[in-house]
């Protein structure tokens, strides 16, 4: 049975949307079923590697109904099969279950998504910022964050010749 | 002292001038190379351009052994405290070259993450423009700095103590404030 058939038979009434581009298999799933689908992918379908977690901000995107899309890329190392899984979350406080308990690589990937988009992952053991400094307050890849920042660049002490 | 007793191979000078002459010709750079300009800095030190001709080839990776900081490349916000700490760790007398458009002004990277000119946060003696500056340009910069050191050096660096304010632009310039206000207005209109 293909991945698509297995997922369809396991989650018959969740309206999973499948699509394909070349050898790229994609599925859109509801956020509420994410944990169950993760379990199924790991234990029944043998996707033993989570290679990518990222997000898309659909603010002001034409025809978009949800604010954030979160994208996961799974690989089945034995067969080389790849699956792109996408789910949507919304303001306020977009939250998803963490994939850390199943795939350890989710650790830094989820921290990055948290840092850049402010999406929290419940069950993540150490959800801190990973790229921006700890004292940073914004989530810079959100579309409502100005490209030039909100003046964060300037809050450093100035070292002059006399102090150095 | 009668000048006629001094043999031909003896020069008379002041201690300050002698010290400055020695310092100018034996600069030990600290390569703070964070981006593409760093590659050009390496080329400057390599055999084709040979920075050793100007006595500045001894790149030291410990700030305690350096007296010339070359900031080559863009400095990210998260890196700035490191840059400042390294600058503070270098012993006096010391000089700083800001190399390339990014280190001087932020260059094309006018984003939230990049410092818009290191001279806002550390003192800079000399700017080398270009993206990236060619090695010849950096060498011209080092030669000008040598000139500056020969004319302005001191034995104990006391002239630096008088420069107690930043020589760079004011960190909150008017453009920046306008940008921040616009960004906030945009944000309000979005919500
Ligand atoms: S000035 Fe140009 S070459 Fe130098 S760091 Fe910036 S982008 Fe790179």
């Amino acid at each position: 049975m293909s991945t698509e058939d297995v997922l369809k038979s396991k989650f018959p009434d969740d309206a999973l949307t499948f699509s394909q581009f070349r050898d790229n298999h994609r599925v859109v799933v509801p956020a509420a079923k994410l944990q169950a689908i993760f379990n199924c992918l790991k234990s029944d379908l043998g996707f033993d590697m989570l290679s990518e977690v990222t997000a898309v901000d659909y603010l002001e995107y034409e025809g978009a109904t949800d604010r954030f899309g979160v994208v996961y890329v799974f690989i089945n190392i034995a067969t080389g099969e790849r699956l792109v899984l996408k789910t949507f979350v919304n303001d306020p406080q977009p939250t998803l279950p963490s994939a850390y308990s199943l795939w350890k690589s989710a650790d830094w990937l989820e921290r990055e998504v948290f840092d850049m988009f402010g999406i929290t992952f419940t069950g993540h053991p150490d959800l801190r910022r990973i790229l921006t400094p700890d004292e940073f307050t914004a989530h810079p890849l959100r579309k409502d964050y100005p490209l030039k920042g909100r003046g964060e660049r300037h809050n450093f002490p100035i070292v002059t010749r006399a102090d150095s | 002292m009668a000048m006629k007793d001094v043999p031909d191979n003896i020069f008379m000078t002041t201690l300050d001038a002698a010290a400055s002459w020695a310092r100018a010709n034996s600069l030990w750079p600290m390569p703070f190379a964070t981006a593409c300009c760093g590659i050009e800095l390496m080329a400057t030190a390599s055999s084709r351009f040979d920075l050793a001709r100007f006595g500045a080839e001894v790149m030291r990776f410990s700030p305690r052994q350096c007296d010339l900081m070359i900031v080559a490349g863009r400095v990210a916000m998260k890196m700035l405290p490191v840059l400042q700490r390294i600058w503070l760790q270098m012993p006096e007398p010391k000089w700083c070259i800001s190399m390339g458009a990014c280190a001087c002004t932020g260059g094309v990277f006018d984003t939230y993450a990049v410092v818009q000119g290191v001279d806002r946060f550390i003192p800079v003696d000399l700017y080398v423009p270009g993206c990236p500056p060619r090695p010849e340009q950096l060498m011209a910069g080092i030669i000008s700095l040598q000139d500056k050191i020969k004319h302005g050096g001191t034995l104990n660096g006391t002239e630096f103590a008088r420069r107690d304010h930043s020589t760079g632009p004011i960190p909150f310039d008017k453009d920046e404030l306008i940008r921040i206000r616009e960004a906030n207005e945009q944000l309000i209109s979005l919500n």
Side-chain angles (χ1 to χ4, degrees):
Chain A
M1 262 208 299
S2 73
T3 305
E4 183 171 339
D5 298 335
V6 173
L7 281 175
K8 269 187 181 153
S9 63
K10 289 251 174 185
F11 303 92
D13 30 62
D14 286 313
L16 308 184
T17 339
F18 292 88
S19 58
Q20 186 177 358
F21 176 74
R22 306 246 165 104
D23 58 349
N24 207 334
H25 296 265
R26 302 176 294 201
V27 54
V28 178
V29 308
K33 279 287 159 66
L34 199 59
Q35 190 65 61
I37 288 170
F38 280 166
N39 290 335
C40 170
L41 287 179
K42 173 98 188 210
S43 47
D44 303 344
L45 288 162
F47 284 101
D48 43 8
M49 177 174 170
L50 172 60
S51 81
E52 189 69 55
V53 180
T54 186
V56 187
D57 186 350
Y58 285 108
L59 184 71
E60 294 182 280
Y61 190 84
E62 223 173 286
T65 48
D66 298 279
R67 173 78 197 263
F68 298 104
V70 182
V71 182
Y72 296 79
V73 180
F74 297 99
I75 300 175
N76 181 334
I77 291 177
T79 62
E81 190 184 351
R82 268 162 205 266
L83 180 72
V84 180
L85 183 144
K86 189 168 183 181
T87 186
F88 292 99
V89 276
N90 279 296
D91 277 336
Q93 287 173 353
T95 309
L96 282 176
S98 171
Y100 178 78
S101 54
L102 296 169
W103 295 277
K104 294 288 174 276
S105 64
D107 185 356
W108 283 14
L109 298 173
E110 288 178 352
R111 276 177 68 187
E112 186 181 347
V113 172
F114 165 72
D115 189 1
M116 290 290 142
F117 293 92
I119 296 168
T120 44
F121 292 89
T122 44
H124 191 286
D126 181 29
L127 200 62
R128 279 179 300 132
R129 289 180 176 275
I130 188 168
L131 297 174
T132 56
D134 289 338
E135 62 275 13
F136 207 76
T137 49
H139 299 291
L141 285 193
R142 288 189 172 195
K143 291 287 183 215
D144 53 7
Y145 183 78
L147 182 62
K148 290 172 184 177
R150 299 206 187 99
E152 291 92 344
R153 292 183 298 212
H154 301 294
N155 302 332
F156 293 105
I158 298 168
V159 176
T160 65
R161 274 291 194 179
D163 345 301
S164 50
Chain B
M1 187 170 42
M3 292 301 277
K4 65 177 164 39
D5 298 336
V6 180
D8 281 353
N9 55 354
I10 304 282
F11 295 97
M12 302 286 269
T13 179
T14 59
L15 192 52
D16 249 19
S20 300
W21 171 79
R23 278 174 191 152
N25 292 297
S26 64
L27 287 169
W28 286 26
M30 162 83 221
F32 194 87
T34 45
C36 13
C37 272
I39 304 294
E40 220 64 5
L41 176 59
M42 290 173 222
T44 316
S46 66
S47 52
R48 185 181 173 101
F49 298 98
D50 199 11
L51 200 52
R53 290 177 293 158
F54 307 97
E57 82 284 16
V58 201
M59 300 276 173
R60 287 291 136 162
F61 296 91
S62 158
R64 300 282 185 212
Q65 300 176 336
C66 301
D67 54 6
L68 168 63
M69 167 115 117
I70 302 182
V71 185
R74 63 198 91 94
V75 178
M77 232 182 99
K78 203 170 175 175
M79 199 67 183
L80 187 71
V82 179
L83 174 67
Q84 286 185 325
R85 173 179 285 210
I86 290 178
W87 173 255
L88 290 174
Q89 282 177 344
M90 285 166 55
E92 206 65 84
K94 60 190 171 189
W95 294 272
C96 176
I97 289 182
S98 158
M99 175 183 178
C102 290
C104 297
T105 65
V108 293
F109 302 98
D110 192 1
T111 72
Y112 65 93
V114 176
V115 171
Q116 301 297 294
V118 292
D119 55 354
R120 293 172 181 219
F121 301 104
I122 61 168
V124 171
D125 289 286
L126 196 121
Y127 301 83
V128 182
C131 178
R134 280 193 57 88
E136 292 92 327
Q137 249 171 302
L138 180 61
M139 278 181 320
I142 287 177
I143 294 168
S144 319
L145 186 70
Q146 288 179 335
D147 217 43
K148 184 171 175 172
I149 295 169
K150 279 181 199 153
H151 290 103
T154 69
L155 264 188
N156 49 16
T158 41
E159 101 276 19
F160 296 139
R162 288 198 298 274
R163 298 198 222 150
D164 56 359
H165 59 273
S166 166
T167 43
I170 312 157
F172 257 111
D173 61 348
K174 229 164 60 198
D175 292 352
E176 203 69 48
L177 286 176
I178 291 168
R179 259 187 237 138
I180 292 164
R181 199 172 60 227
E182 278 171 2
N184 285 340
E185 276 163 11
Q186 212 183 351
L187 191 71
I188 290 163
S189 68
L190 281 177
N191 292 340

